[in-house]
Amino acid sequence: MSEESTSTLWTVVGKAEEFAEDLGSCIEMGGEQIAIFKLSDGEWYATQNMCPHEKKMVLSRGLTGDANGEPKITCPLHKRSFSLNTGECITDNETSCLKTYPVKEEDGKVLIQFG
């Protein structure tokens, strides 16, 4: 999904088998909560866990899906949907974007670029 960066190292955050397909998981890195998603097509995504609408840490419990070919996460509380690729809110032009993180699976491990 993301290419190696020379400025930020990849950090192992768990074994791939520990992450359920089409559901979110939450980890903490650097004092931030990060939601990680493994979709049924094998793609991995990582975003901030906080929904920007009312600052609730709930996105890892949201519903994954597809909006016209764009993978998305929908907040379980406010029903706003965000692109897992860009973090852009795709249901409301007034809501801030999500921060996204490069994530990949390598040798059975999940790695994130954080920083």
Side-chain angles (χ1 to χ4, degrees), residues 42-55:
E43 292 293 323
W44 290 87
Y45 301 92
T47 70
Q48 68 190 48
N49 192 39
M50 182 182 69
C51 178
H53 177 237
E54 286 188 9
K55 314 292 188 242

Side-chain angles (χ1 to χ4, degrees), residues 2 9 13-14 17 32 34 38 41 43 45-46 49 52 57 68 73 82 87 89 99:
S2 299
L9 298 176
V13 295
E17 64 193 31
E32 292 186 41
I34 299 173
K38 177 187 178 188
D41 63 4
E43 292 293 323
Y45 301 92
N49 192 39
M57 298 292 189
N68 299 318
I73 183 66
F82 299 87
C89 185
K99 185 174 183 180

